[in-house]
Amino acid sequence: MTVRLLLADDEHLIRGALAALLGLEDDLVVVAEAASGPEALAMARAHEPDVAVLDLQMPGADGVKVATSLRAELPGCRVLVVTSHGRPGHLKRALAAGVRGFVPKTVSAQRLAEIIRTVHAGNRYVDPELAADAISAGDSPLTSREAEVLELAADGAPVAEIAERAALSPGTVRNYLSSAVSKLDAENRHAAVRLARERGWV
Amino acid sequence: MTVRLLLADDEHLIRGALAALLGLEDDLVVVAEAASGPEALAMARAHEPDVAVLDLQMPGADGVKVATSLRAELPGCRVLVVTSHGRPGHLKRALAAGVRGFVPKTVSAQRLAEIIRTVHAGNRYVDPELAADAISAGDSPLTSREAEVLELAADGAPVAEIAERAALSPGTVRNYLSSAVSKLDAENRHAAVRLARERGWV
DNA sequence: GCGGCCTTCTGACATTTGTCATGCCCGGTG
DNA sequence: CACCGGGCATGACAAATGTCAGAAGGCCGC
């Protein structure tokens, strides 16, 4: 019994190479490839694969967004996410989106093939190292507004602009930033943004 | 006549897949693989490949640093850099380090094989799109101190800390930051850092 | 329904940044 | 040699930011 695969990754080099390698396994067959989020969705609808192997960072819509849509449209399609930068928060969000497997790109193709079979069999697989990171990083201590404001502060915008974009008073924005900074034990808002990014909380 | 290759990339998945695909070409043979900068250097010394295919972002030492060392130790070894995020400044630095080819990971393996041959023949190859970006981005308008201070400001450290780490007076640091911000036409130092990063100037 | 937490605001204050003018020392260039 | 640009500094001022206290409304759980 063969497993029908969808591969989605914006890097042609990797996608092609992966397709070739996985295709060598005689129980795996790559039925579709995509280079962006929307394309991955379209391909999934058209080919109804058994397992979708998605890169986390793609133009258009990231792996988690695609996984969410896929979950709704093709419940029978298992989703496996592959990523270069394993941030703890991403793992959490991916699992919440119904993703069945989460692995870093540092695994070998051989290993990936095994994991694809595991996922196809209905089991879950999460890279042990990433899982440990996610557990040790814990949950975000930020309230939703704090996270929202912090995100708006990410590109170095001044308070006035953040306030406008969040439809809040400037004073409130400063209060949220201040509490986020103290919760994250950062020196200032910019360090806070960096820390929250590292832990995948924004 | 076969071309002996060194592959260096920290992502096992990609490196392995690439090795397999390039190995299919009958005039290419992968003689060594590495997962980090230092390992790449060691492998190069041990196997003396004709062409080294290096990822730009690797633990230990990045592709450009490795290329520089390689240039000195193995002048006969051509260097080809492959990257996911094609920042204009990186291209410039890579060429300055004696790199013969610079391509994004969005090319196909087929295309990469051709480029390897091109580079091995002594020619240069730079991805046209990246070249266009590099030209339109122009040279960095920052003096070396401005760039240095901006880099130290990257993780959100306060002026006092930057001053200490750069062995400068706080006032001087602020002057440099101020001039960098105005040269980059940014709203504040943090936006300036972001812009400089995007253009590959830090 | 009371206590607790989140959201939202205001006002006040200390600190940090951003900006500008000005000055000195140095290495190169005409 | 005189001049200029870059590196480095200081001092002063305005603006932005960080911190704190206080207060009102909403929602949830007990």
Side-chain angles (χ1 to χ4, degrees), chain A residues 11-12 84 106 156 158 187-188 190, chain B residues 12 84 106 156 158 187-188 190:
Chain A
E11 296 175 349
H12 195 298
S84 338
T106 47
E187 297 214 315
N188 55 44
H190 305 285
Chain B
H12 196 298
S84 336
T106 48
E187 294 214 318
N188 55 43
H190 305 285

Side-chain angles (χ1 to χ4, degrees), chain B residues 132-195:
Chain B
D133 282 354
I135 292 164
S136 72
D139 273 335
S140 169
L142 304 174
T143 67
S144 66
R145 281 302 149 112
E146 285 163 357
E148 188 187 333
V149 170
L150 204 54
E151 201 156 5
L152 288 170
D155 50 358
V159 170
E161 194 179 314
I162 301 172
E164 197 180 350
R165 291 214 272 167
L168 288 175
S169 117
T172 307
V173 169
R174 293 202 289 166
N175 287 147
Y176 282 147
L177 286 175
S178 183
S179 85
V181 164
S182 76
K183 279 179 180 174
L184 296 179
D185 199 27
E187 294 214 318
N188 55 43
R189 68 167 80 173
H190 305 285
V193 166
R194 203 169 41 77
L195 287 171

Side-chain angles (χ1 to χ4, degrees), chain A residues 136-182:
Chain A
S136 72
D139 274 335
S140 170
L142 304 174
T143 69
S144 65
R145 282 300 147 116
E146 284 163 359
E148 188 186 333
V149 169
L150 202 55
E151 200 157 5
L152 287 171
D155 50 356
V159 171
E161 195 179 316
I162 301 172
E164 197 179 352
R165 291 215 270 167
L168 288 175
S169 116
T172 306
V173 168
R174 291 202 290 167
N175 287 146
Y176 281 147
L177 286 175
S178 184
S179 84
V181 164
S182 76

Side-chain angles (χ1 to χ4, degrees), chain A residues 10-14 16-18 20-21 82 84-85 105-109 112 154-158 161 187-188 190-191 194, chain B residues 10-14 16-18 20-21 82 84-85 105-109 112 154-158 161 187-188 190-191 194:
Chain A
D10 58 326
E11 296 175 349
H12 195 298
L13 194 52
I14 288 132
L18 214 50
L21 268 204
V82 177
S84 338
H85 321 292
K105 281 186 180 171
T106 47
V107 301
S108 68
L112 182 64
D155 50 356
E161 195 179 316
E187 297 214 315
N188 55 44
H190 305 285
R194 203 169 42 75
Chain B
D10 58 326
E11 297 175 349
H12 196 298
L13 195 53
I14 286 132
L18 213 52
L21 268 203
V82 177
S84 336
H85 320 291
K105 281 185 180 172
T106 48
V107 301
S108 68
L112 182 63
D155 50 358
E161 194 179 314
E187 294 214 318
N188 55 43
H190 305 285
R194 203 169 41 77

